[in-house]
Amino acid sequence: MRVFTVFPLLVLPVLIYNVIAWSGSAFTSVDAVRERMDKDFLSVTMASDTTWDITPGHALIAFSLLMLFFELLKSTGTGRGAIINHAFSMVLFIVCLVEFLMFPAFATSVFFLVMMMTLLDVMAGFIVTIISARRDFGVSDGGFD
């Protein structure tokens, strides 16, 4: 269970996107990735007899949001595992940022949103850690308590 607290869950959607982006060739074009992300792979009939078409991009964003939810729950911890998780989350965000800026296959809105979720995870983790550290040390606005 220790791996669960240290392992940033948002690495899963990033890995899935990497598999989709690099599955064609070593340097896949952004158009090829967009085509893979926008192809319907699941259709759900709604109560209104309308069909809801789900693409891999939609599913990846939904999965990323679910992982972000669990990451935010994990960010409330202040132990050693939580600090290591925050560091790994920062590394994951940097990797995502480099991929987004340097590789054409990652210049899509889907990957941008996944990357922003990794940034939110980093920010939430550090904010929660700072607030809880201030509380643990008894620091108030006027100085030490």
Side-chain angles (χ1 to χ4, degrees), residues 56-72:
H58 297 148
L60 186 61
I61 290 171
F63 178 64
S64 300
L65 285 169
L66 182 66
M67 294 298 103
L68 178 62
F69 171 74
F70 288 116
E71 279 296 315
L72 292 176

Side-chain angles (χ1 to χ4, degrees), residues 7-23 33 36-37 56 60 63-64 67 92-93 95-96 99 106 110-111 114-115 118:
F7 181 72
L9 297 175
L10 282 169
V11 79
L12 297 173
V14 172
L15 285 175
I16 292 169
Y17 189 95
N18 273 274
V19 167
I20 293 170
W22 298 115
S23 63
V33 174
R36 283 184 219 140
M37 287 292 195
L60 186 61
F63 178 64
S64 300
M67 294 298 103
L92 179 63
F93 169 68
V95 167
C96 288
E99 286 180 330
F106 292 84
V110 171
F111 190 74
V114 171
M115 181 185 69
T118 63

Side-chain angles (χ1 to χ4, degrees), residues 105-134:
F106 292 84
T108 64
S109 295
V110 171
F111 190 74
F112 176 76
L113 291 172
V114 171
M115 181 185 69
M116 292 307 295
M117 288 180 216
T118 63
L119 176 62
L120 288 173
D121 176 33
V122 169
M123 290 173 33
F126 286 131
I127 288 169
V128 167
T129 302
I130 289 168
I131 289 172
S132 64
R134 284 184 68 186

Side-chain angles (χ1 to χ4, degrees), residues 13 41 55 79 90 120:
F41 80 97
T55 66
M90 176 63 92
L120 288 173

